[in-house]
């Protein structure tokens, strides 16, 4: 809820008070990293590059949702189905 409300505030402050908008962005980012259990990155962080940060967030969300486990189950079911379908009658 906090992330959503800060996002609306950030949008509302677009083109206006730069300091207030920057503060809202920082607060939203802090809440987001806290929810995902990530460390806040600084420009000195080795993972600061945008593409690395995005991949880290995607992997964390996949872990929370159990996507990797679901993919393993899906692969198992497909493999077993193919084996069954190829069995001579």
């Amino acid at each position: 809820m906090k992330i959503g409300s800060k996002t609306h505030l950030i949008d509302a402050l677009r083109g206006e008070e730069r300091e207030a908008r920057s503060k809202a962005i920082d607060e939203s980012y802090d809440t987001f990293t806290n929810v995902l259990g990530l460390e806040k990155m600084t420009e000195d962080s080795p993972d600061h590059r945008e593409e690395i940060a995005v991949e880290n967030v995607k992997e964390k969300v996949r872990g929370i949702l159990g996507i990797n486990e679901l993919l393993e189950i899906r692969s198992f079911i497909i493999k077993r189905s193919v084996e069954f379908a190829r069995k001579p009658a």
Side-chain angles (χ1 to χ4, degrees):
M1 195 163 112
K2 282 184 178 182
I3 294 170
S5 65
K6 290 295 180 186
T7 300
H8 287 294
L9 177 60
I10 291 165
D11 289 341
L13 293 173
R14 188 175 306 274
E16 293 187 23
E17 295 180 38
R18 190 173 289 217
E19 189 175 319
R21 187 168 190 268
S22 179
K23 181 180 177 193
I25 291 170
D26 286 344
E27 289 172 358
S28 179
Y29 180 74
D30 288 344
T31 303
F32 182 73
T33 56
N34 188 33
V35 166
L36 290 182
L38 298 171
E39 292 182 25
K40 185 172 181 176
M41 282 192 235
T42 64
E43 290 184 22
D44 300 334
S45 301
D47 292 345
H48 177 69
R49 289 195 357 247
E50 183 177 342
E51 56 273 3
I52 294 174
V54 168
E55 288 303 315
N56 287 342
V57 170
K58 284 171 35 178
E59 191 58 38
K60 187 69 172 182
V61 171
R62 281 183 176 151
I64 291 169
L65 298 176
I67 299 298
N68 296 333
E69 290 83 0
L70 290 173
L71 288 173
E72 286 181 39
I73 292 168
R74 178 181 175 268
S75 295
F76 174 79
I77 291 170
I78 291 171
K79 181 181 175 188
R80 293 295 303 259
S81 297
V82 169
E83 289 172 357
F84 181 77
R86 289 185 178 160
K87 268 187 181 178

